[in-house]
Amino acid sequence: KKETVVLAYSGGLDTSCILVWLIEQGYKEFVEEFIWPAVQANARYEERYLLGTALARPCIARKLIEVAKKESATYISHGATGKGNDQVRFEIACYALMPTIKVIAPWRMESFLSRFAGRNELLQYATEKNIPVTATKAKSWSMDANLMHISYESGELEDPATEAASDMYLMTTDPENAPDIPERISIEFKNGFPIKVINKDGTVVDDALKLFLHLNEIGGKHGIGRIDIIENRFIGMKSRGCYETPAGTILQAAHIDIELLTMDREVFKLKQYLKTQFESQVYNGMWFSPECEYTRSCIALSQEVVEGTVHLKLYKGGVYVTARESPRSLYNQDLTHFSMYIEGDHNASDAAGFIRLNALRSREFQRLKR
Amino acid sequence: KKETVVLAYSGGLDTSCILVWLIEQGYKEFVEEFIWPAVQANARYEERYLLGTALARPCIARKLIEVAKKESATYISHGATGKGNDQVRFEIACYALMPTIKVIAPWRMESFLSRFAGRNELLQYATEKNIPVTATKAKSWSMDANLMHISYESGELEDPATEAASDMYLMTTDPENAPDIPERISIEFKNGFPIKVINKDGTVVDDALKLFLHLNEIGGKHGIGRIDIIENRFIGMKSRGCYETPAGTILQAAHIDIELLTMDREVFKLKQYLKTQFESQVYNGMWFSPECEYTRSCIALSQEVVEGTVHLKLYKGGVYVTARESPRSLYNQDLTHFSMYIEGDHNASDAAGFIRLNALRSREFQRLKR
Amino acid sequence: KKETVVLAYSGGLDTSCILVWLIEQGYKEFVEEFIWPAVQANARYEERYLLGTALARPCIARKLIEVAKKESATYISHGATGKGNDQVRFEIACYALMPTIKVIAPWRMESFLSRFAGRNELLQYATEKNIPVTATKAKSWSMDANLMHISYESGELEDPATEAASDMYLMTTDPENAPDIPERISIEFKNGFPIKVINKDGTVVDDALKLFLHLNEIGGKHGIGRIDIIENRFIGMKSRGCYETPAGTILQAAHIDIELLTMDREVFKLKQYLKTQFESQVYNGMWFSPECEYTRSCIALSQEVVEGTVHLKLYKGGVYVTARESPRSLYNQDLTHFSMYIEGDHNASDAAGFIRLNALRSREFQRLKR
Amino acid sequence: KKETVVLAYSGGLDTSCILVWLIEQGYKEFVEEFIWPAVQANARYEERYLLGTALARPCIARKLIEVAKKESATYISHGATGKGNDQVRFEIACYALMPTIKVIAPWRMESFLSRFAGRNELLQYATEKNIPVTATKAKSWSMDANLMHISYESGELEDPATEAASDMYLMTTDPENAPDIPERISIEFKNGFPIKVINKDGTVVDDALKLFLHLNEIGGKHGIGRIDIIENRFIGMKSRGCYETPAGTILQAAHIDIELLTMDREVFKLKQYLKTQFESQVYNGMWFSPECEYTRSCIALSQEVVEGTVHLKLYKGGVYVTARESPRSLYNQDLTHFSMYIEGDHNASDAAGFIRLNALRSREFQRLKR
């Protein structure tokens, strides 16, 4: 009896093709259900990586499982390697969404591995069979592109001491070639979601998907969002990756700014902890896990107040917040003014007491040390 | 009986004058004892502020108390306002180091506050008395400069929706006016400390203080380290501040990169938690507290392995890591290579088991949800 | 013009009188709005204190402010001392709920302090004026009783090396005098709330307030919930307190057990972090703060699955969980059975891969150490 | 060519035999290198389990690897099941300490599993072959005993709704049969380590191993340290276990008490976080991981001040701290006394300012909510 296999391409531009197709079908799922929660979280794995690939995986896996169920497939197959994160992300998501699904992963099969000893054999095979691929022997790295970013790894990037080729990046202009004139935009948020981009010419983009693509375009033009990093894979080893994430970089700068205008200090601290957890969960492929659903719910709870507009300048790779305003601002100009004490709030001598009591433990500590 | 008062200027350029004097006296204390631990921590209060002022305060306070003890002073006096962080930082540090010290804080005294209703009265008084000050009515913000950064706040900056004047920043060139040619440098670290800057012409700077000043100069030239943020003061209110921190910005980018090459993933996560704690402790003036001493010790413990060289490109406000290398690298190229399985490490099928067991909880969770 | 002062007794049995009165009025607010969230959290400040006083304070403060608003009072006054936590808890809650309220705190007024140098002067004054108080010279400690617990502190308890008098405790039998026969009960939870106590004779208590009082009675009879601890006050100093919390102790043992049966491992870890934050927030009087409201919401989110029945044995001061069951149990007996591998879940060899990949970092680490 | 296999028994009393032998050889390694760090940490996995088995595993694994190296063995073999934690703990430790070692785990081998379908077949086989085992058909649970505790699981314990048999526990008297007279002891700590037990008759035990065994004996007599819990295994499933840990339970109660007398509040909070991490690391078999070594070092750093004597009463399953004293106490009786304000420390009005500024955020928050 023949069994059906649903095939996923994860290793290259194919992924972005699938996403293009999804877009054409009218889906915005990736932006609204996967990227927006990451924007709310200010997610940045190990302080740097904006999780572009990690966010796409559960979205694709969900689609795969939809297809698998429709086609009564018993297998899915993907081209992710046996040392990377993507196999983990695809499979954990698929197992979660369809417990009986089985996985065929050629890069973990001895027969496949013995046939293709490395990337070169694979490129040669592709040439022989006229399979079009982005990676060439000259440009030996592999890349993975989606709506949110392009990632580059392996090949000559495998040596962390080697600088990436200047013509590698495809989604962003080299900052050195970016426009000499800065560009100004404003982004409006509600519930921690970006709902509007206002351009300098007054035009407005307010559809989630179009807004994101617009920021990709404008950010790409100004060379925004390139990073070259060492990161820790879930599987236990380190790897080197280069990423370009124009819209994601702009949105994070803007979101964190409006958040600090509208969110209480201690709630922000709690959310910082949840953010760190969320980053690992997403990176490790745990999107559909109980802990990630819980973390997303808690983060979403914190965003109800995150509302307002951030003004930005984009220039040669840099995103500069210049000003911000919000109807829910917690910034109280009267309160801040250095010499004005408002009745009922606090008076000039309060700070002295505050300080002395906060100094108590340090004083005892230093006294006992002597 | 007359009592001695030791006077501290904290509100303006005076602070930097004191620091210049300290430098002339051969002290590097600020760089090595205060800035370096912050570099080790990757400290960035509320994800953005590099703590330039907060780090200087305990250094100055320690000096004040040295003087107070030498002069048998019973009081210190400072010019920090009654709503800001600096009063807290100065006083907690002084109380810790000299429990019997008393504080005169004019900005918390009713007699002073009723004489000077606001900044304008103060500027007028300064004009009348020929007291030179940086702030003018035209440029109404106040600034605080030290070796590490200049901060700008109040005056017209008090409205968070108003963009800062383009000529406000004094330590860095406007990125738009920065050189059109990028500059490349390398920074070498040992024990998490920067020990060497190697310039493109091969010249080397390896003295801690000179290294920091050199990075300030080169970073300043390329417009690096400007931020405009909303932040949460310890005292409970929000404020808006602009900062420029050229060397600090470069060092953090470099340090975090070499750290991720050499530090284990889970140790890095533990350290991320400690970093968050350290940021609040320093911001809140708790440098000499038991918890901050403990946190610094724990962070220092993690830095023994942080060693190696990071290669950087500086260009129009941006710091780009291009490559890195280390004798203590945990990056194992053989291990990473996607199709090579080394005997004893793990084999092709291990990942399947790893994934299936990591999926167990998610599968149960999604199953029970249905 | 005369202004109205609302008076709060916090220093003694009066608090419990107020609560008794509230009960008579049919309020259950304290149990359902303050104690239940603490049960859901498994709250235990500094690993030991169940927060009996800290939970009562915001409940009382809210009542005070209701009265103050009805009576158009401009002041509240309380008898909490100037070194304790209760002043902080009362006042922060009152300021939050009524920003214009002012506070009269005799124990922080020089005129009061100079009149009454210490507890003895106060006891003498009470005797002279025929004011009935629990504290006597013989029994010099002060106590604070409410529905949830009695706390004892100061007086001879101030020396942490002195054992508390055996007849001090009023709410619980000395374990040595408790019944020689254990008592068995079952507690049923839903949404993390206790909804039913089933006694050995089959009788059931299912009203929140009655359920709590019933557990107080039965727990008190068996000597459950006494602790004698050193704790850290918000104000920066350490103190010694003795507490007895019979129902709270039983409920925590039961709640944590049913939680571990029904809650995912990683959600539990996230909740452990939130619990630690919640404990400090409540202890420090921050019940009505943005962070505490946020933390309570997040904890409540985690409790939807916490449902089932815990069987307990109470005996001479001890609470022993003996068994538990739940319709939402995540405990899968088939999965656990040591030699049975279920198709689709995982197979015998999966663990080997899981282990080898989890060992990867440790192996590299130990290898590099040698 | 024949290869050498080193055999480890982990499934039963054998473990304790090995430990007895180690003791006879004069090793105290287990107590001083594994149990003491857990005492310092106040380790209690998921709020309840004292990690008795998890601490023994890396100790045994280290011994195994010593033997394997001496005998030039290429394999180790253990009897831990393929669903439990112990396989993980043994193997990760062994892989860390000897990267080239290979593992034979019969409970993960299809040939073994098909021969023995379950525990009954195994018991029958043991009977046939005259292999002495503790588990019988009547008493179907398995147990694991070591110096620190005995754990019981599987068999009839597999149903979490079934109460454990009253005669199951071997290390502790049933509290109901424990002495009617409480016993008093004192424990002295230095650097967070217990260094002395002083009995009521004045006799002293100060050797680490003897001290621990003495507390086991005395605690066992009084029925101390029994728990019956649901816990989350590393492998992703829940299990039910019963444990008895007499000395460990007493030591944790005492250690936490002296810690709160001598350790700063905020250091304690930091350490609470590290403790939670340590618990998972140890439970998951990560003793020799970089993160666990780091965590242990950080915890040890916090213990330098933890010194003093705790007085305890043991009675029918309960451990009651009655008093404590320390040369490094941070408890300052003068500071605490409710009406005494010491010059320089703080004065009566300081608390008012402290409170008002701490109320600032809550006040703004509640104001904006209305």
Side-chain angles (χ1 to χ4, degrees), chain C residues 47 83 117 158 184 228 238 260 263 265 272 288 291 293 324 331 335 340 361 366 369, chain D residues 47 83 158 163 228 238 260 263 272 288 291 293 324 331 335 339-340 361 366 369:
Chain C
E47 311 280 341
K83 300 227 180 153
E158 263 177 27
R184 283 160 185 281
D228 177 332
K238 289 182 182 290
L260 275 156
M263 186 179 283
R265 180 184 74 197
Q272 270 188 307
F288 296 111
E291 64 269 27
E293 293 210 358
R324 73 289 287 165
Y331 181 98
L335 213 59
M340 203 184 327
R361 293 180 305 102
Q366 296 287 345
K369 274 191 17 178
Chain D
E47 310 282 342
K83 300 226 180 155
E158 264 177 29
E163 187 169 339
D228 178 331
K238 289 183 182 289
L260 276 155
M263 186 180 283
Q272 270 188 306
F288 297 111
E291 64 269 27
E293 293 210 359
R324 73 289 289 166
Y331 182 98
L335 212 58
S339 68
M340 203 184 328
R361 292 179 307 100
Q366 296 286 347
K369 272 192 15 178

Side-chain angles (χ1 to χ4, degrees), chain B residues 121-141:
Chain B
E121 284 78 2
L122 211 65
L123 287 170
Q124 191 183 332
Y125 183 81
T127 309
E128 285 168 16
K129 303 285 178 184
N130 291 320
I131 302 169
V133 286
T134 315
T136 63
K137 279 185 193 171
K139 296 183 180 181
S140 68
W141 57 81

Side-chain angles (χ1 to χ4, degrees), chain C residues 292-355:
Chain C
C292 192
E293 293 210 358
Y294 179 60
T295 307
R296 289 200 302 278
S297 299
C298 290
I299 290 175
L301 257 186
S302 74
Q303 298 293 300
E304 192 248 331
V305 299
V306 180
E307 183 176 334
T309 302
V310 181
H311 306 289
L312 302 153
K313 190 168 77 172
L314 313 178
Y315 176 67
K316 288 198 179 272
V319 182
Y320 302 90
V321 173
T322 59
R324 73 289 287 165
E325 51 202 308
S326 166
R328 305 192 67 158
S329 170
L330 289 180
Y331 181 98
N332 184 334
Q333 216 160 315
D334 295 340
L335 213 59
T336 310
H337 192 70
F338 69 108
S339 68
M340 203 184 327
Y341 288 92
I342 298 151
E343 175 66 21
D345 276 337
H346 69 95
N347 55 54
S349 65
D350 283 353
F354 179 79
I355 292 167

Side-chain angles (χ1 to χ4, degrees), chain B residues 261-278:
Chain B
L261 187 66
T262 53
M263 186 180 282
D264 173 77
R265 180 184 75 197
E266 298 300 314
V267 175
F268 183 80
K269 273 190 204 159
L270 288 165
K271 208 209 128 205
Q272 270 188 307
Y273 184 79
L274 294 170
K275 159 190 129 80
T276 316
Q277 305 300 309
F278 178 70

Side-chain angles (χ1 to χ4, degrees), chain D residues 2-49:
Chain D
K2 286 195 175 171
E3 293 183 287
T4 307
V5 177
V6 173
L7 209 58
Y9 290 101
S10 69
L13 272 167
D14 319 279
T15 309
S16 81
C17 294
I18 292 172
L19 286 168
V20 167
W21 173 80
L22 292 175
I23 291 158
E24 286 170 357
Q25 304 298 313
Y27 292 97
K28 291 183 219 159
E29 291 172 27
F30 181 42
V31 173
E32 294 188 272
E33 294 184 39
F34 296 86
I35 299 178
W36 274 191
V39 168
Q40 287 188 321
N42 307 318
R44 196 174 268 262
Y45 180 68
E46 294 183 338
E47 310 282 342
R48 300 191 289 188
Y49 169 42

Side-chain angles (χ1 to χ4, degrees), chain B residues 145-276:
Chain B
N146 65 36
L147 194 63
M148 188 177 175
H149 87 339
I150 305 182
S151 73
Y152 308 86
E153 61 171 7
S154 72
E156 61 194 49
L157 296 174
E158 264 177 28
D159 177 2
T162 300
E163 186 168 340
S166 60
D167 62 346
M168 179 181 74
Y169 294 101
L170 302 179
M171 205 170 176
T172 55
T173 307
D174 188 321
E176 298 177 40
N177 302 324
D180 289 327
I181 309 298
E183 181 149 4
R184 284 162 184 280
I185 57 167
S186 301
I187 304 179
E188 190 180 330
F189 289 87
K190 200 168 164 59
N191 294 318
F193 296 124
I195 56 164
K196 211 177 271 184
V197 172
I198 304 123
N199 297 295
K200 56 186 169 180
D201 63 3
T203 57
V204 166
V205 188
D206 60 6
D207 169 85
L209 178 59
K210 283 180 189 157
L211 181 159
F212 196 82
L213 293 172
H214 176 65
L215 288 178
N216 264 345
E217 191 196 325
I218 205 170
K221 186 174 82 179
H222 288 283
I224 287 162
R226 294 182 174 192
I227 55 168
D228 177 332
I229 64 168
I230 302 294
E231 72 192 56
N232 288 296
R233 291 188 187 158
F234 185 29
I235 221 109
M237 61 190 66
K238 289 182 182 291
S239 74
R240 190 254 195 110
C242 297
Y243 302 94
E244 50 184 347
T245 322
T249 303
I250 296 169
L251 283 169
Q252 184 160 112
H255 180 270
I256 205 171
D257 194 70
I258 199 67
E259 196 169 86
L260 275 156
L261 187 66
T262 53
M263 186 180 282
D264 173 77
R265 180 184 75 197
E266 298 300 314
V267 175
F268 183 80
K269 273 190 204 159
L270 288 165
K271 208 209 128 205
Q272 270 188 307
Y273 184 79
L274 294 170
K275 159 190 129 80
T276 316

Side-chain angles (χ1 to χ4, degrees), chain C residues 104-357:
Chain C
I104 299 171
W107 281 111
R108 295 201 307 256
M109 294 164 73
E110 294 296 350
S111 55
F112 186 86
L113 290 171
S114 58
R115 171 67 184 82
F116 299 105
R119 181 156 285 267
N120 282 342
E121 284 77 1
L122 210 65
L123 288 170
Q124 191 183 333
Y125 183 80
T127 310
E128 283 168 16
K129 303 286 179 182
N130 291 320
I131 302 169
V133 287
T134 316
T136 63
K137 279 186 193 171
K139 295 181 179 182
S140 69
W141 55 81
S142 72
M143 56 181 258
D144 180 73
N146 65 36
L147 194 65
M148 188 177 174
H149 86 340
I150 305 182
S151 73
Y152 307 85
E153 61 171 7
S154 73
E156 61 194 50
L157 296 173
E158 263 177 27
D159 177 3
T162 300
E163 186 169 339
S166 60
D167 61 347
M168 179 182 74
Y169 295 100
L170 302 179
M171 205 170 177
T172 55
T173 308
D174 189 320
E176 298 178 41
N177 302 325
D180 289 328
I181 309 297
E183 181 149 3
R184 283 160 185 281
I185 56 168
S186 302
I187 304 179
E188 191 180 330
F189 289 86
K190 200 166 165 58
N191 294 319
F193 296 124
I195 56 163
K196 213 177 270 184
V197 171
I198 304 123
N199 296 295
K200 57 184 170 183
D201 62 4
T203 58
V204 165
V205 188
D206 59 6
D207 169 85
L209 178 60
K210 283 180 189 157
L211 182 159
F212 197 82
L213 293 172
H214 175 66
L215 288 178
N216 263 346
E217 190 195 327
I218 204 170
K221 186 174 82 179
H222 289 283
I224 287 162
R226 294 182 174 192
I227 54 168
D228 177 332
I229 64 169
I230 302 294
E231 74 194 53
N232 287 296
R233 290 188 187 159
F234 185 30
I235 220 108
M237 61 189 67
K238 289 182 182 290
S239 74
R240 189 255 195 108
C242 297
Y243 302 94
E244 48 185 350
T245 321
T249 302
I250 296 169
L251 283 170
Q252 185 160 112
H255 180 270
I256 205 171
D257 194 70
I258 199 66
E259 196 169 84
L260 275 156
L261 187 67
T262 54
M263 186 179 283
D264 173 76
R265 180 184 74 197
E266 297 302 314
V267 175
F268 183 79
K269 271 190 206 160
L270 288 165
K271 208 208 127 205
Q272 270 188 307
Y273 184 79
L274 294 171
K275 161 189 128 80
T276 316
Q277 305 302 310
F278 178 70
E279 290 158 353
S280 290
Q281 291 160 3
V282 174
Y283 189 87
N284 294 347
M286 295 294 181
W287 186 269
F288 296 111
S289 69
E291 64 269 27
C292 192
E293 293 210 358
Y294 179 60
T295 307
R296 289 200 302 278
S297 299
C298 290
I299 290 175
L301 257 186
S302 74
Q303 298 293 300
E304 192 248 331
V305 299
V306 180
E307 183 176 334
T309 302
V310 181
H311 306 289
L312 302 153
K313 190 168 77 172
L314 313 178
Y315 176 67
K316 288 198 179 272
V319 182
Y320 302 90
V321 173
T322 59
R324 73 289 287 165
E325 51 202 308
S326 166
R328 305 192 67 158
S329 170
L330 289 180
Y331 181 98
N332 184 334
Q333 216 160 315
D334 295 340
L335 213 59
T336 310
H337 192 70
F338 69 108
S339 68
M340 203 184 327
Y341 288 92
I342 298 151
E343 175 66 21
D345 276 337
H346 69 95
N347 55 54
S349 65
D350 283 353
F354 179 79
I355 292 167
R356 270 197 293 266
L357 286 179

Side-chain angles (χ1 to χ4, degrees), chain A residues 45-48 81-83 87-88 91-92 95-97 99 107-108 110 113 117-119 158-164 175-176 182 184 228-230 232-240 256-257 260-263 265 268-269 272-273 275-276 280 286 288-291 293 313 315-317 320-325 330-331 333-341 346 348 351-352 354-356 358-359 361-363 365-366 369-370, chain B residues 45-48 81-83 87-88 91-92 95-97 99 107-108 110 113 116-119 158-164 175-176 182 184 228-230 232-240 253 256-257 260-261 263 265 268-269 272-273 275-276 280 286 288-291 293 313 315-317 320-325 330-331 333-341 346 348 351-352 354-356 358-359 361-363 365-366 369-370:
Chain A
Y45 180 68
E46 293 182 339
E47 311 282 342
R48 299 190 290 186
T81 78
K83 299 227 179 153
Q87 54 171 350
V88 186
E91 297 178 28
I92 291 185
Y95 287 140
L97 298 176
W107 282 111
R108 296 200 305 257
E110 295 296 350
L113 290 172
R119 182 157 286 268
E158 264 177 28
D159 177 2
T162 300
E163 186 168 340
E176 296 177 42
R184 284 160 184 280
D228 177 332
I229 65 170
I230 302 295
N232 288 296
R233 290 189 188 158
F234 184 29
I235 219 108
M237 60 191 66
K238 289 182 182 290
S239 73
R240 189 254 195 110
I256 206 170
D257 194 69
L260 276 155
L261 187 66
T262 54
M263 186 180 282
R265 180 184 74 197
F268 182 79
K269 271 189 204 160
Q272 270 188 307
Y273 184 79
K275 161 190 126 81
T276 315
S280 290
M286 296 292 181
F288 296 111
S289 69
E291 64 270 27
E293 293 209 0
K313 190 167 78 174
Y315 177 67
K316 289 199 179 271
Y320 301 90
V321 174
T322 58
R324 72 290 287 167
E325 51 202 309
L330 288 180
Y331 182 98
Q333 216 160 315
D334 295 340
L335 212 60
T336 311
H337 192 70
F338 69 108
S339 68
M340 203 184 327
Y341 288 93
H346 69 96
F354 179 80
I355 292 166
R356 270 197 292 266
N358 273 304
R361 292 179 307 101
S362 297
R363 198 148 73 180
F365 171 67
Q366 296 287 346
K369 274 193 13 180
R370 279 185 296 266
Chain B
Y45 180 68
E46 294 183 338
E47 310 282 343
R48 299 190 289 187
T81 79
K83 300 226 179 154
Q87 55 171 348
V88 186
E91 296 179 30
I92 291 186
Y95 287 140
L97 298 175
W107 281 111
R108 295 200 306 255
E110 295 296 350
L113 289 172
F116 300 104
R119 181 156 286 268
E158 264 177 28
D159 177 2
T162 300
E163 186 168 340
E176 298 177 40
R184 284 162 184 280
D228 177 332
I229 64 168
I230 302 294
N232 288 296
R233 291 188 187 158
F234 185 29
I235 221 109
M237 61 190 66
K238 289 182 182 291
S239 74
R240 190 254 195 110
I256 205 171
D257 194 70
L260 275 156
L261 187 66
M263 186 180 282
R265 180 184 75 197
F268 183 80
K269 273 190 204 159
Q272 270 188 307
Y273 184 79
K275 159 190 129 80
T276 316
S280 290
M286 295 294 180
F288 297 110
S289 69
E291 64 269 28
E293 293 210 359
K313 189 167 78 174
Y315 176 66
K316 289 203 179 268
Y320 301 90
V321 173
T322 58
R324 72 290 286 167
E325 51 203 306
L330 289 180
Y331 182 98
Q333 216 160 315
D334 296 339
L335 213 59
T336 310
H337 192 70
F338 69 108
S339 68
M340 205 186 324
Y341 290 92
H346 69 95
F354 179 79
I355 292 167
R356 271 197 292 267
N358 274 305
R361 292 180 306 100
S362 297
R363 198 147 73 178
F365 171 66
Q366 296 288 347
K369 272 191 17 178
R370 279 186 296 265

